[in-house]
Amino acid sequence: MLRRSRTETGLKSRLPLAGEKELTARKVIAFAFLGAILVAAQVALSFIPNIELVSMFIIVYTRVFGKQAFYPVAVFIIVQGLIYGFGLWWLNYLYVWPILVGIALLLSRSQSVLLWALISAAYGLSFGALCAIPYFFIGGPSAALAYWISGIPFDLAHCAGNFIAGLLLMPPSHKLLERLSAVVYRGGCTF
């Protein structure tokens, strides 16, 4: 349904089409489902240290849904706290995953699978450094540095896992999510 333009009502710019920016019931359900996918992907691979699909999915969500990718990420962060407890690690999640959404938003025009795999790998490599930030404020620079250095082997595994997941799973995940976006935004089904 097209709304009347603001020029018809005396205002200068056009209102967005219904469903473009507003959070509809269909979007709330879709974003909750996408957040649940992030949780399921994390739990499914939790037995392998620092090998995860969450980074790849967040990049794909951002490329398809833009700024609205923050919604499923928020669902993921809250559910992670409910499952594992709201410790210091959880405070890291309040900024590390939104940072990835921000990076993906900045580079969203790129279509290169290799570039996205490299971004995901670099993010995995920097994950420990990002998580060391609270330790800087709690114990000073030496505590943050010790935390970060002790986790470098895990960051290397995170980097390699993110790169492989990005190369292999990002293209089919993106294609599937594009189909879902047709349902979420236009109400049509292309499956």
Side-chain angles (χ1 to χ4, degrees):
M1 178 169 109
L2 182 61
R3 293 185 181 180
R4 292 170 38 165
S5 71
R6 289 183 185 213
T7 54
E8 293 173 357
T9 60
L11 301 172
K12 294 188 179 183
S13 64
R14 185 180 135 323
L15 285 172
L17 295 174
E20 278 183 4
K21 292 186 181 182
E22 56 206 31
L23 199 57
T24 64
R26 186 183 304 251
K27 287 182 189 177
V28 169
I29 292 167
F31 294 145
F33 178 72
L34 293 174
I37 289 173
L38 292 175
V39 172
Q42 185 278 325
V43 170
L45 294 176
S46 63
F47 67 96
I48 308 171
N50 284 41
I51 303 299
E52 49 89 6
L53 299 176
V54 174
S55 300
M56 184 271 305
F57 279 129
I58 288 175
I59 290 170
V60 171
Y61 291 179
T62 306
R63 292 189 63 218
V64 173
F65 294 107
K67 291 178 184 176
Q68 292 185 339
F70 284 111
Y71 293 123
V73 169
V75 169
F76 171 70
I77 293 168
I78 291 167
V79 173
Q80 288 290 288
L82 293 171
I83 292 172
Y84 298 111
F86 296 94
L88 182 59
W89 69 271
W90 185 79
L91 294 176
N92 296 331
Y93 274 32
L94 291 175
Y95 64 89
V96 295
W97 297 117
I99 284 172
L100 183 57
V101 174
I103 291 167
L105 283 170
L106 288 172
L107 302 169
S108 64
R109 294 186 188 261
S110 176
Q111 300 297 319
S112 171
V113 175
L114 180 60
L115 175 67
W116 287 110
L118 288 170
I119 290 167
S120 187
Y123 183 76
L125 190 59
S126 65
F127 197 83
L130 290 169
C131 290
I133 293 171
Y135 293 94
F136 178 83
F137 295 105
I138 293 170
S142 59
L145 185 62
Y147 177 86
W148 177 46
I149 289 173
S150 69
I152 287 177
F154 294 100
D155 291 340
L156 291 170
H158 199 173
C159 173
N162 278 8
F163 182 74
I164 292 167
L167 278 181
L168 299 178
L169 300 175
M170 207 172 291
S173 298
H174 189 269
K175 186 175 183 179
L176 184 63
L177 207 56
E178 283 287 335
R179 289 181 179 171
L180 177 64
S181 74
V183 174
V184 172
Y185 287 101
R186 294 181 286 285
C189 187
T190 59
F191 289 102

